Amino acid sequence: MLQAGYCQDRGSRRCLGARRRFIAGSCVMIAASPLAALLPRAQELFDRLAGLGYDGVGITRDAYGKGETAALEYLAGVATESGLVTSRDAAGNLMIDLPDYRSGPAIWVGSHLDSVPRGGNYDGAAGIIAGLLCLMQLRSEGITPPQPARVIALRGEESAWYGKAYIGSSALLGKLDEQDLDSRRRDDGTRLADGLAAVGADLGRIRAGEPLIDVKNVAAYLELHIEQGPVLVARNLPTAVVTGIRGNIRHGTITCLGEAGHSGAVPRWLRRDAVFAVAELIARLDEHWRVLLERGLDLVVTTGIIATAPEEHAISRIPGKVDFSFEVRSQSHDTLEAFYHLMQTEAATIGRNRGVSFEFDRRIYSAPARMDEGLVRRLLSISAQHNLPTETVPSGAGHDAAVFANAGIPSAMIFVRNANGSHNPHESMELEDFIAGAGLLYDMLRTPL
C-alpha cells in the first residue's frame, strides 16, 4: 500500500514515486492511506454541505437554527444510507455508531457543525466528515475496532450566535448554567434555552448541571480540524498534532460612557470623549501585550467590535457612548487572569483621567486545555508511519476538545493545513491533506489505545 507523504522540494515539480500534486510551490503527495478511495466521497459531502449552507457570500450554519439543522439531518441521512446507526443525545447532538456498537469505554471522534455567519465550509465540518468516513471504511472492511468507536456532531461550538462557545459539548458534560441558558441569539433574540428545546434537548437535566454522559465510558476524544491560522501553510506541513488549546476571557459588550458635545465648542480639558478614552485603553493594552510577549508569555488580545450609536454619531459630535468587545487568549490560566486584571485597572485609571466610566457586561471564561501526552505521542508515531510530518503546534483557536479535556477525558487533535485563515468564506483546505489527516484518525481507531 502506498503511504501518504510530503515533500519540501519547493523549487521543483519533478517529484517521483506515488501520485503527487503541485500546490503553492511545493509537492504534496496525494494521501494513499486506507481512506484514499474515499476522496471523491469526501468531495461530494463537502460540496453538498456547502450547497445547504451557502448564504450568497459564504457559509452560514446557525447554531440551533435552520442551517445547522439542515447539515445535521443531511449527514444523519448519509450515515443511515451507509449502514451506520444514528441517534440524538440529550443535548441535541448527533451520534453516529457502527451497527455492532457495544457499551463500554469508547473512542469518540467529533467536531462541530455550526459556522460563524458568512464563514467557511471546513471549520468544524471537516472533523465530522473525517469521523464519518472512518466508520464507513471500518464497516466496509468488516473491521470491529478494539474499542467501540463513535462519531459525534456537536452543535453550537461558535460563540458568534449566543455569545457562548462550546454549547453542545458543555451541555453534554453538565457545564451550562442559567446565565448561559438565558443568553440571546445575536440576530433574533431567541433565548438559548428555547433553541435547545427546539432540537429536543433535555432542559431539565441541563438546567440541573447534570452530565448527560458517564465520562468513564469515553476512553478518548479525538478531533480533526482545519488550522485556523497560517502556520502549517508557512511551514509546508499538510498535518500537525496539537499540544494544547488556548482559553479565553471575553466581554461581548463593554460600554464607555462620557458626555456628548459640540466638536468645536468643547476644549480638550473639559471633554469627556468616549472614543478617545477607548482608543487610549486599546493603545495601553497593546503596549502591555508587546512587553509580555517579550517576556515569553503566550498571549493574544483582540477588540473585534467597536461602535458609536449610528442614530447619534456625526462628524461634529463628541461621542458620549462607545460599545466595544474585549477578548484575551492564552494557554495559561494565570496569564489570562493577570491580563484581565490589568485591563480593568487601566480602564479605571483612564476613567478617572478622562471623566468617563466603563460598564462591563457578563464576563465569559473558557479554560485552556492541554492535550493528552500519550495520545499526542501515538499520533506522532502514526504520522511517522504514514510519512507525514511529526510536528506539534498549539491551537490559538478554541475547540470542543478543550471541554472534553477539562472534564478529565483524554483528548487529542489533528490539524489539517488550510489557506486563507478561517471564519471567512475563503477557507481553502486541500482534500489530499484532509484524507491524510483522516487516515491518522482511522489508524487510531483500528489499533488498541
Side-chain angles (χ1 to χ4, degrees), residues 219-235:
Y221 174 81
L222 307 176
E223 182 168 356
L224 178 146
H225 205 283
I226 57 169
E227 190 203 10
Q228 294 172 276
V231 175
L232 268 62
V233 170
R235 295 178 60 192

Side-chain angles (χ1 to χ4, degrees), residues 4-16:
Y6 74 110
C7 172
Q8 302 250 4
D9 185 8
R10 301 187 181 191
S12 171
R13 300 191 185 196
R14 294 186 299 173
C15 283
L16 305 176

Side-chain angles (χ1 to χ4, degrees), residues 274-297:
V275 163
F276 272 64
V278 172
E280 181 178 353
L281 175 62
I282 292 172
R284 288 193 185 189
L285 294 180
D286 185 42
E287 179 60 17
H288 288 305
W289 181 17
R290 183 189 65 79
V291 171
L292 292 172
L293 288 178
E294 289 177 351
R295 295 177 181 174
L297 274 68

Side-chain angles (χ1 to χ4, degrees), residues 43 126 408:
Q43 182 71 69

